[in-house]
Amino acid sequence: MRVFAVFGNPISHSISPRLHNKAICDLGLNAVYTRICLENGSELIDRFKILKLSGANVTLPHKAYALELADIKSEMACKIGSANTLVLKDNKIYAHNTDAPGFLSAILPFGKIKTALILGAGGTAKAIAYALRESKIDVDLLNRSKDRFVDFAEFECFSYENFTPKPYDLIINSTSAGLNDENLPAPIEILSEIFSHSKFAFDVIYGRVTPFLDMSSRFGLTTKDGADMLLYQAVLALNLFYDNTLDLEKIKISMSKALYL
Ligand code: NDP
């Protein structure tokens, strides 16, 4: 039996075990997926080996360690600077990032996007910025503080003071504003101006109507929360655990059911 796990801290809220175990069950795979609270990210690979895992997902705050400590790193994970999926293959641990392709799959229903503004400049913003740029979409970033812009040297980055709103097809909230509070991810005046000239709004937060989603829909934008991004990154991760030999559509159907259990 193969054993998989998700590492993070905190981890009790993670629904990854629910998604993966449902797909494992429906696809008749001989495996189980659990969750592990890891305080010290530098112990990630040691724990992976001690537990004899075949694969793992990694979430906050250990995604950078996942990339750093893996034996072999995918080009995408290196460019993003973090990994959320570890796979054991031929005694080596491979690091991948499925957040970026997961995000691109999630925004497909919006149709053609040419320009996007990312609110936030954290780890998730990095994966999204990379994904959008690879899709030839013009990306700007707007963040509360300037400190994080060093990680986004290849992008136009603005703070509230020097931002001049312009029309964007897609606005993405990649901040944690609205996760456990009623905060908007940027000053309301800036958001009003942006929403007046945009078409789509995407929030990486899932499972609740955030103030960002609420406000953007009141401005008439088509909106989407982060549930599909979560779903698709998990679908891709399970397929990577099995060396890309599984049926993605079957995993998706199964995990979709688990998402709403
Ligand atoms: P980070 O801690 O790396 O970055 C957080 C970002 O949010 C920073 O840019 C920070 O700005 C900004 N921020 C936080 N609070 C506020 C606020 N009140 N107003 C404005 N900006 C704020 O977090 P991550 O990038 O890892 O995660 C961000 C979100 O993405 C989380 O809510 C997480 O749950 C979600 N997520 C969703 C996924 C999915 O599959 N749907 C996958 C991964 C993450 P500053 O630099 O000024 O501090």
Side-chain angles (χ1 to χ4, degrees):
M1 175 183 273
R2 298 191 202 191
V3 181
F4 308 115
V6 56
F7 289 94
N9 184 21
I11 200 61
S12 58
H13 68 286
S14 172
I15 64 165
S16 291
R18 201 165 88 204
L19 301 183
H20 282 268
N21 284 321
K22 176 86 171 98
I24 284 167
C25 191
D26 289 354
L27 274 73
L29 304 169
N30 186 19
V32 67
Y33 187 112
T34 187
R35 58 181 158 221
I36 294 158
C37 185
L38 182 71
E39 282 187 13
N40 186 348
S42 66
E43 294 170 3
L44 179 63
I45 298 299
D46 289 344
R47 291 288 293 280
F48 185 105
K49 288 179 179 167
I50 288 165
L51 294 163
K52 297 193 177 3
L53 299 179
S54 299
N57 288 120
V58 183
T59 187
L60 283 174
H62 304 314
K63 289 186 185 183
Y65 273 119
L67 178 69
E68 186 190 323
L69 300 174
D71 299 312
I72 297 169
K73 305 144 205 258
S74 76
E75 190 188 339
M76 192 189 298
C78 288
K79 282 190 175 158
I80 295 167
S82 68
N84 72 330
T85 305
L86 297 173
V87 184
L88 181 69
K89 191 177 162 189
D90 303 328
N91 271 328
K92 297 256 184 278
I93 295 178
Y94 288 68
H96 302 270
N97 189 305
T98 66
D99 286 330
F103 167 77
L104 286 179
S105 298
I107 63 162
L108 274 181
F110 288 151
K112 185 77 187 152
I113 306 278
K114 287 186 182 154
T115 55
L117 176 70
I118 301 175
L119 306 173
T124 309
K126 191 90 189 283
I128 290 175
Y130 173 80
L132 289 169
R133 200 192 50 189
E134 288 298 294
S135 302
K136 312 269 181 275
I137 295 168
D138 283 338
V139 190
D140 290 347
L141 281 103
L142 176 64
N143 196 46
R144 183 174 59 180
S145 58
K146 293 177 191 158
D147 314 358
R148 298 183 192 246
F149 292 158
V150 284
D151 292 334
F152 293 86
E154 300 156 48
F155 297 90
E156 284 273 16
C157 297
F158 302 96
S159 56
Y160 302 154
E161 306 83 58
N162 70 349
F163 180 68
T164 310
K166 64 181 192 193
Y168 294 97
D169 294 330
L170 171 65
I171 313 294
I172 303 138
N173 176 27
S174 81
T175 76
S176 38
L179 182 64
N180 297 311
D181 53 45
E182 291 304 314
N183 292 330
L184 284 165
I188 193 161
E189 305 76 27
I190 291 183
L191 291 177
S192 301
E193 190 62 34
I194 302 168
F195 288 155
S196 304
H197 301 97
S198 304
K199 299 177 199 160
F200 308 107
F202 184 92
D203 201 321
V204 294
I205 295 167
Y206 55 88
R208 69 181 304 239
V209 179
T210 58
F212 169 81
L213 284 185
D214 180 52
M215 182 174 171
S216 53
S217 63
R218 279 192 282 110
F219 272 78
L221 278 71
T222 304
T223 65
K224 208 163 187 279
D225 78 359
D228 277 352
M229 179 178 170
L230 176 82
L231 178 74
Y232 295 138
Q233 63 76 26
V235 170
L236 296 168
L238 184 61
N239 199 30
L240 281 168
F241 293 160
Y242 284 87
D243 214 6
N244 290 319
T245 57
L246 302 180
D247 183 327
L248 285 175
E249 196 52 31
K250 279 188 185 161
I251 309 176
K252 192 178 122 191
I253 291 167
S254 181
M255 287 189 175
S256 304
K257 288 183 198 152
L259 197 58
Y260 299 105
L261 280 176

